[in-house]
Amino acid sequence: MSREQIVRCAGTDPRRRLETFPSFSGKGVDAMKDLEEILQRAYSARDEQDLLDLYSSWSGSFDKDVVERLGYRGHEICAHGLLRHFDDRKGAVLDVGCGTGLVGQVLAREGFRNVDGLDLSREMLEKAREKMVYRRLVEADLNRPLDIPDDAYG
């Protein structure tokens, strides 16, 4: 998977604006302003602390905001991309930047049981834990060395 596919898959392309999400139309001006503000905070983050603060405070409504209100499907696209290249349902998978566990849910539905999640935000990890689809959840900063053996995941 190329870097461009990963960025597109992760939904991190800042050029996409709310008006590109057809399911968001008609949701109300206040809802749109709230999400515009949140997305602006994400795209203008100066450092990892800005992102940690954002995702920690957003964890309670993240799934509803991005999936229901914005019609986000990046988690499904990423999970199905993995399925095309990795069909060993017993193999260990690391969901990097797992957030609230959206990818983990899709993988669990597809029969994966050895999925670990890693994220910077403790609050996002708590939402992921509630989904009960991960074997293990790890709070970690990808800008620092990880205490994970090189061959731990497929």
Side-chain angles (χ1 to χ4, degrees):
M1 192 176 277
S2 72
R3 183 183 187 290
E4 179 181 295
Q5 288 170 312
I6 292 168
V7 168
R8 192 171 47 239
C9 181
T12 56
D13 186 346
R15 294 168 295 196
R16 293 193 70 189
R17 306 248 333 134
L18 287 177
E19 48 277 3
T20 67
F21 295 95
S23 64
F24 193 74
S25 61
K27 300 292 183 184
V29 174
D30 290 338
M32 184 184 238
K33 285 182 184 176
D34 291 346
L35 284 174
E36 285 254 357
E37 181 181 315
I38 290 169
L39 294 174
Q40 184 56 40
R41 281 180 63 197
Y43 298 138
S44 64
R46 293 179 314 273
D47 55 32
E48 58 200 58
Q49 187 61 50
D50 284 352
L51 288 173
L52 182 58
D53 292 344
L54 169 68
Y55 287 107
S56 294
S57 65
W58 195 8
S59 63
S61 65
F62 183 86
D63 288 3
K64 182 175 182 158
D65 288 343
V66 300
V67 176
E68 294 176 29
R69 292 167 73 184
L70 291 177
Y72 176 76
R73 296 288 174 254
H75 56 294
E76 295 168 355
I77 295 166
C78 285
H80 288 106
L82 175 69
L83 290 169
R84 282 193 302 275
H85 302 285
F86 186 76
D87 61 359
D88 179 6
R89 302 298 199 270
K90 293 180 182 178
V93 175
L94 179 61
D95 180 0
V96 177
C98 69
T100 62
L102 293 172
V103 169
Q105 280 185 305
V106 177
L107 293 176
R109 279 196 309 266
E110 295 292 337
F112 285 84
R113 298 291 174 256
N114 294 315
V115 180
D116 296 340
L118 183 145
D119 202 273
L120 179 64
S121 167
R122 178 177 295 131
E123 291 81 2
M124 294 293 254
L125 287 168
E126 285 306 315
K127 293 299 178 183
R129 187 175 323 282
E130 291 171 10
K131 290 179 171 71
M132 299 189 317
V133 296
Y134 291 97
R135 176 178 65 170
R136 179 178 29 242
L137 289 165
V138 178
E139 182 181 343
D141 181 345
L142 291 175
N143 293 311
R144 294 185 174 72
L146 300 175
D147 188 24
I148 298 174
D150 288 341
D151 61 351
Y153 298 96

